[in-house]
């Protein structure tokens, strides 16, 4: 069964600090992995996509990594800002005709001033 | 429109009533998804439409839930005889889904349903 596990479930950090969110998956055959950001009361928005051949990708202060061998991904946030407070969701898609991606439960990040 | 549009944004109904939630996807997106998100929980897949193909209804929690997509565009999610446990935010997403892989999902703002 395809599964995506995220850790930690929640995280509280001070503004300006860095943090790393983890995602482990068992989706097969692997196609791509996306990190979405969901602000409170809004729909999720894609931050980055990782494909099999990519190890790291940055989007501003967000850097995602992928280890396809261990089936792990991380999202690193540098110099956190209050606006980074949100839920971060790891979503993994399979190849071969299945168009229903597997969602993790998300990590709730709170950035305090 | 520029993005996925959902209506109503908020709906309060009494237990036992039927409700309809509407989703207008991004023009040209062939794929449309419905998800349910209960308070503080992750997204739960409900149903998937792709072009003119038969929808994947594997996520619908009961036969009280149904959805249709007319003309490959607008979709309506119907919940009959609502129960209090149906209270949640219902999110719609659309995607281009190039052949062989799932594209980026673009979400609407959601419809918050409260069943009294």
């Amino acid at each position: 069964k395809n599964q995506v596990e995220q850790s930690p479930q929640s995280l509280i950090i001070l503004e300006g600090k860095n943090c790393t969110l983890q995602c482990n998956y068992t989706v097969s055959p692997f196609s791509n992995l996306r990190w979405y950001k969901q602000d409170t009361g809004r729909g999720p928005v894609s931050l980055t996509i990782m494909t099999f051949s990519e190890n790291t990708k940055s989007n501003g202060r967000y850097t995602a990594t992928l280890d396809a061998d261990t089936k792990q991904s991380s999202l690193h946030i540098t110099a956190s800002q209050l606006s980074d407070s949100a839920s971060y969701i790891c979503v993994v898609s399979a190849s071969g005709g299945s168009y229903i991606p597997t969602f993790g439960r998300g990590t709730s990040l709170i950035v305090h001033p | 429109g520029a993005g996925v549009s959902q209506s109503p944004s908020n709906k309060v109904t009494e237990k036992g009533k039927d409700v309809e939630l509407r989703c207008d996807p991004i023009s040209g997106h062939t794929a449309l998804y419905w998800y349910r998100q209960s308070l503080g929980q992750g997204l739960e897949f409900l149903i998937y439409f792709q072009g003119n193909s038969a929808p994947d209804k594997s996520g619908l929690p009961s036969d009280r839930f149904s959805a249709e997509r007319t003309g490959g565009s607008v979709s309506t999610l119907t919940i009959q005889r609502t129960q209090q446990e149906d209270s949640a935010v219902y999110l719609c997403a659309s995607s281009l889904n190039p052949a062989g892989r799932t594209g980026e999902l673009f979400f609407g703002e959601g419809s918050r349903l409260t069943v009294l």
Side-chain angles (χ1 to χ4, degrees):
Chain A
K1 179 181 179 182
N2 290 336
Q3 287 188 313
V4 175
E5 300 289 339
Q6 292 189 243
S7 63
Q9 182 176 351
S10 62
L11 183 62
I12 301 174
I13 62 174
L14 291 176
E15 186 179 13
K17 298 296 186 181
N18 304 335
C19 66
T20 300
L21 314 179
Q22 301 289 344
C23 173
N24 296 337
Y25 62 92
T26 58
V27 176
S28 181
F30 176 82
S31 174
N32 63 72
L33 182 150
R34 291 183 185 272
W35 284 93
Y36 285 80
K37 178 187 180 188
Q38 184 177 24
D39 292 316
T40 301
R42 310 293 295 274
V45 175
S46 178
L47 291 173
T48 185
I49 177 175
M50 305 293 289
T51 56
F52 188 85
S53 59
E54 296 174 308
N55 298 117
T56 184
K57 182 178 288 186
S58 292
N59 177 5
R61 294 180 297 102
Y62 300 103
T63 299
T65 66
L66 175 67
D67 185 333
D69 292 330
T70 61
K71 298 186 178 181
Q72 295 179 326
S73 176
S74 67
L75 180 69
H76 185 76
I77 304 175
T78 303
S80 60
Q81 300 176 358
L82 299 180
S83 59
D84 293 331
S85 295
S87 178
Y88 292 84
I89 306 169
C90 178
V91 182
V92 184
S93 296
S95 60
S98 173
Y99 292 100
I100 302 172
T102 303
F103 279 68
R105 295 174 62 85
T107 292
S108 176
L109 174 66
I110 298 175
V111 180
H112 278 313
Chain B
V4 177
S5 178
Q6 292 189 243
S7 62
S9 55
N10 281 285
K11 176 71 176 179
V12 180
T13 190
E14 293 180 345
K15 178 181 174 181
K17 299 288 188 181
D18 298 350
V19 296
E20 287 188 349
L21 308 177
R22 175 189 168 105
C23 173
D24 201 340
I26 293 173
S27 177
H29 281 194
T30 57
L32 187 148
Y33 303 78
W34 282 99
Y35 289 87
R36 179 170 70 176
Q37 188 172 33
S38 300
L39 186 64
Q41 302 298 310
L43 274 71
E44 174 190 5
F45 167 73
L46 296 177
I47 189 168
Y48 164 65
F49 295 90
Q50 174 66 49
N52 295 319
S53 302
D56 184 327
K57 305 178 181 180
S58 60
L60 294 179
S62 76
D63 58 8
R64 296 186 297 104
F65 288 73
S66 63
E68 63 178 19
R69 188 180 185 190
T70 55
S73 181
V74 172
S75 177
T76 302
L77 176 68
T78 301
I79 308 173
Q80 296 178 310
R81 305 180 303 281
T82 52
Q83 303 295 312
Q84 288 183 332
E85 60 263 30
D86 299 333
S87 296
V89 175
Y90 290 81
L91 289 160
C92 174
S94 69
S95 177
L96 280 173
N97 279 2
R101 67 178 181 90
T102 303
E104 177 179 352
L105 270 61
F106 292 83
F107 285 85
E109 297 296 291
S111 292
R112 180 177 298 278
L113 174 65
T114 302
V115 182
L116 302 177

